[in-house]
Amino acid sequence: MKGEDIKLEDLYRLELKTWWTYFKGESFAFKMICLYLFTEYVRPQSIWPWLDFLPWAQLFVIGALLGLLADPQKKWVKSP
């Protein structure tokens, strides 16, 4: 099953393989935002002190912005 073949009904089944296939097809910026949300809400660097050597949240936000600027498929939408 490829990412473009996945329908919304397939995602409703909550199968990890389907979700992972869909996630792999997303853009780099989307993955960085997901990692940012994970680090802000789960805070693994607080659970395991050995991870607390970089500002992870800030790096993921910067990565998302760079990914957005470098994405050749992005479309700017004007809205009044």
Side-chain angles (χ1 to χ4, degrees), residues 1 8 11-13 15 17 32 44 50-51 57 60 62 72 76:
M1 181 182 304
L8 190 58
L11 295 174
Y12 285 154
R13 286 190 220 130
E15 294 174 352
K17 183 180 177 186
M32 289 291 105
W50 56 271
L51 277 177
F60 291 139
I62 291 169
W76 295 105

Side-chain angles (χ1 to χ4, degrees), residues 5-62:
D5 296 337
I6 297 174
K7 297 180 180 71
L8 190 58
E9 292 81 19
D10 297 331
L11 295 174
Y12 285 154
R13 286 190 220 130
L14 300 178
E15 294 174 352
L16 187 58
K17 183 180 177 186
T18 305
W19 281 75
W20 183 249
T21 303
Y22 188 77
F23 183 75
K24 286 191 313 187
E26 288 294 329
S27 70
F28 178 75
F30 178 79
K31 292 174 186 174
M32 289 291 105
I33 289 297
C34 288
L35 288 171
Y36 165 75
L37 290 171
F38 178 78
T39 57
E40 281 296 315
Y41 289 106
V42 177
R43 293 217 165 279
Q45 66 273 24
S46 297
I47 298 170
W48 298 295
W50 56 271
L51 277 177
D52 196 17
F53 63 92
L54 286 175
W56 294 106
Q58 290 87 354
L59 289 175
F60 291 139
V61 169
I62 291 169

